[in-house]
C-alpha cells in the first residue's frame, strides 16, 4: 500500500514484523500472548501486593511499584499491536498511529532508564546511611524522583516526535520492524533524516551516559561501604537487596544497548528485532518475578496476605 501524495497526513505504513517467518505466525502469536498475559498478571499482582501490605510501604517498594506500572504501560504500548499484526495480513498502521506509538515508546524507555538510576540512589542511601534513610528518602523526594524521571521521558519523546513530524514520506512505506522505532522509520523519509538521526544519537547517548553514571557511582559507594574496614554485617545483608535491581539493570541496559550500539543493516535486522523483543516484551514480564522471587520481604508479604485472607 503506497503513501498518497508527498505529505504525511494521509501516509500509511506497513509493519513487516515477523511476516518473513510466515509458517510460524500462529506459534509466535501464542507465545507473545502468553508473555503479555503473564506480564499483566505479574505486574498488577506486584502493584496490589505492595499496596495491601503495610510492611512494603517503604521508598524501595514505592520505586518498585512505579517500575511495575511503567512496565505495564510499556508492554501495552508494543505487544497488543504486535499481536494484531501477527493475525492481520495487511499489517497497515496510519502515520498518526505510528508516531503515537513512537512517542510513548520513547517516553517509557527513557523514563525507565531514569527510574532505574533513582532506584540505585535509593539503595545507596539505604546501605551507606541506614540511620538517616527514612529522613533522607522522604515521600516528597521519592515522588520528585519519579516525577523527574517521567519529565525526562516526556521531554525526550516530545523532541524526537517533533523532529519526526517534519519528515515527508512519499516513497516505500514498509517498516522492517514490529513497531514504529526511530531508525527504520527515518530510513523511509523522502527528506534528509540527518537531524533526526543526530538528535537520537545525542539524546540516547546522553540519557544512557547520565543514568549509567548515576548507577555506577551509586554501586561504587555501596561496594566501598560494604568492603570497608568498618562495614557492618547489616550493610552486607542490605546489599542482598541490590541483587534484584542489578539484574533488572543488566537486562534492560544490555538489550537496549544491543539495539543502538550498531547501525542496522540487512544482515542485522533479525538480530535487531530479537533484541527489541527482549527489551520491549520479555523484560517487562521478568521484572516482577526477579523482584518477587529474589526478595524475602515480597515473599513474606505475600504469605502474610494469604494468611490474613484465610483467617478472615
Amino acid at each position: 500500500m503506497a503513501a498518497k501524495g508527498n505529505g504525511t497526513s494521509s501516509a500509511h505504513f506497513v509493519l513487516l514484523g515477523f511476516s518473513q517467518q510466515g509458517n510460524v505466525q500462529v506459534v509466535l502469536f501464542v507465545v507473545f500472548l502468553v508473555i503479555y498475559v503473564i506480564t499483566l498478571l505479574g505486574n498488577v499482582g506486584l502493584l496490589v501486593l505492595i499496596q495491601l501490605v503495610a510492611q512494603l510501604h517503604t521508598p524501595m517498594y514505592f520505586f518498585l511499584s512505579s517500575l511495575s506500572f511503567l512496565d505495564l504501560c510499556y508492554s501495552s504500548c508494543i505487544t497488543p499491536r504486535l499481536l494484531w499484526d501477527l493475525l492481520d495480513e495487511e499489517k497497515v498502521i496510519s502515520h498518526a498511529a505510528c508516531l503515537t506509538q513512537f512517542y510513548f515508546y520513547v517516553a517509557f524507555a527513557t523514563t525507565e532508564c531514569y527510574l532505574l538510576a533513582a532506584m540505585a540512589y535509593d539503595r545507596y542511601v539505604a546501605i551507606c546511611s541506614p540511620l538517616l534513610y527514612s529522613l533522607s528518602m522522604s515521600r516528597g523526594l521519592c515522588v520528585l524522583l519519579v516525577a523527574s524521571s517521567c519529565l525526562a521521558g516526556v521531554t525526550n519523546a516530545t523532541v524526537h516526535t517533533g523532529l519526526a513530524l517534519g519528515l515527508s514520506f512519499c516513497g516505500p512505506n514498509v517498516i522492517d520492524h514490529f513497531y514504529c522505532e526511530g531508525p527504520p522509520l527515518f530510513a523511509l523519509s523522502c527528506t534528509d533524516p540527518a537531524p533526526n538521526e543526530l538528535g537520537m544519537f545525542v539524546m540516547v547517548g546522553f540519557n544512557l551516559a547520565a543514568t549509567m553514571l548515576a548507577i555506577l557511582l551509586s554501586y561504587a559507594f555501596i561496594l566501598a561501604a560494604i568492603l570497608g574496614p568498618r562495614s557492618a554485617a547489616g550493610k552486607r545483608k542490605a546489599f542482598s537487596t541490590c541483587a534484584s535491581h542489578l539484574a533488572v539493570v543488566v537486562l534492560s541496559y544490555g538489550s537496549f544497548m544491543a539495539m543502538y550500539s550498531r547501525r542496522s543493516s540487512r544482515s542485522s535486522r533479525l538480530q535487531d528485532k530479537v533484541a527489541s523483543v527482549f527489551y520491549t516484551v520479555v523484560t517487562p514480564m521478568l521484572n516482577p518475578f526477579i523482584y518477587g522471587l529474589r526478595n524475602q520481604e515480597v515473599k513474606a508479604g505475600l504469605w502474610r496476605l494469604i494468611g490474613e485472607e484465610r483467617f478472615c
Side-chain angles (χ1 to χ4, degrees), residues 271-283:
Q271 290 89 334
D272 291 339
K273 292 178 186 178
V274 172
S276 298
V277 166
F278 197 83
Y279 183 76
T280 61
V281 179
V282 178
T283 300

Side-chain angles (χ1 to χ4, degrees), residues 254-310:
S255 54
F256 190 78
M257 292 180 68
M259 288 192 294
Y260 290 100
S261 60
R262 54 188 167 81
R263 256 186 199 275
S264 181
S265 63
R266 288 183 180 275
S267 60
S268 67
R269 283 173 186 170
L270 181 59
Q271 290 89 334
D272 291 339
K273 292 178 186 178
V274 172
S276 298
V277 166
F278 197 83
Y279 183 76
T280 61
V281 179
V282 178
T283 300
M285 176 192 69
L286 294 178
N287 285 349
F289 293 98
I290 291 174
Y291 275 99
L293 296 178
R294 294 185 58 87
N295 194 304
Q296 296 298 326
E297 291 180 338
V298 172
K299 289 189 285 188
L302 177 61
W303 287 114
R304 186 179 297 110
L305 185 63
I306 293 175
E308 290 177 357
E309 290 295 329
R310 287 181 176 177

Side-chain angles (χ1 to χ4, degrees), residues 187-199:
L188 302 180
S189 175
C190 300
T191 54
D192 184 14
N196 303 75
E197 294 173 346
L198 178 61

Side-chain angles (χ1 to χ4, degrees), residues 37-60:
V37 171
I38 294 175
T39 300
L40 295 180
L41 294 177
N43 285 286
V44 170
L46 192 56
L47 278 169
V48 172
L49 180 65
I50 293 174
Q51 185 65 31
L52 294 180
V53 178
Q55 288 78 6
L56 300 182
H57 293 174
T58 63
M60 184 177 81

